[in-house]
Amino acid sequence: MGIIKVENIRVYAFHGCLNEETKIGSNYRVDLEVKANLKASASSDKLSDTVDYVLLNKIVKEEMKYPSKLLETVAKRILKRIFKEDALVKKATISVSKLNPPIGGDVEMVTIKMTERRKN
């Protein structure tokens, strides 16, 4: 088993419970960690034998485009799609952070973190 991380994916998106958040938008940071068997790719040196981090980045950016009220919903959608599109991924952990959230205080970011395992 091995780990592939795609960290600090920066996205501008329109998530939130407040009307202003879905109209004005905000900056987000997404961190992703996936576990997969990397033995074959370590020996073969073939992209087809590993988890393509370009695909992971693409999934995150595409799914962040669809507005949701809750970051949990966005994270779950991303995880679901990762497992659907890459059979090598056995476990994935995602953190979705809203930078400078509108919560009436000096807060750098709020983050939700979720982990899923392949069901089969």
Side-chain angles (χ1 to χ4, degrees):
M1 218 36 87
I3 295 173
I4 295 174
K5 292 182 180 183
V6 185
E7 299 177 298
N8 202 16
I9 303 168
R10 296 182 193 133
V11 181
Y12 195 85
F14 300 86
H15 307 298
C17 293
L18 303 174
N19 286 336
E20 296 81 25
E21 292 177 293
T22 58
K23 291 178 184 173
I24 298 168
S26 185
N27 288 303
Y28 293 82
R29 172 186 170 159
V30 179
D31 296 291
L32 187 59
E33 177 179 300
V34 299
K35 288 190 177 183
N37 186 338
L38 303 179
K39 288 181 183 178
S41 60
S43 297
S44 72
D45 199 31
K46 293 181 182 176
L47 182 59
S48 60
D49 289 337
T50 193
V51 177
D52 184 354
Y53 50 79
V54 173
L55 173 65
L56 297 176
N57 185 59
K58 177 182 175 236
I59 290 170
V60 167
K61 288 189 170 190
E62 288 177 357
E63 292 301 323
M64 287 293 288
K65 289 180 183 177
Y66 301 105
S68 295
K69 290 181 181 176
L70 300 178
L71 298 180
E72 293 90 325
T73 305
V74 180
K76 181 69 173 180
R77 197 169 57 232
I78 293 168
L79 290 171
K80 184 176 179 182
R81 189 161 161 207
I82 288 169
F83 286 112
K84 179 181 176 187
E85 294 190 25
D86 197 319
L88 292 175
V89 175
K90 302 299 180 204
K91 180 180 176 184
T93 300
I94 187 167
S95 295
V96 180
S97 303
K98 180 182 282 193
L99 308 179
N100 301 311
I103 61 174
D106 186 12
V107 177
E108 183 179 351
M109 70 178 111
V110 293
T111 303
I112 64 96
K113 185 174 184 178
M114 295 177 73
T115 300
E116 294 278 336
R117 286 183 169 76
R118 186 169 294 281
K119 303 286 189 254
N120 26 340

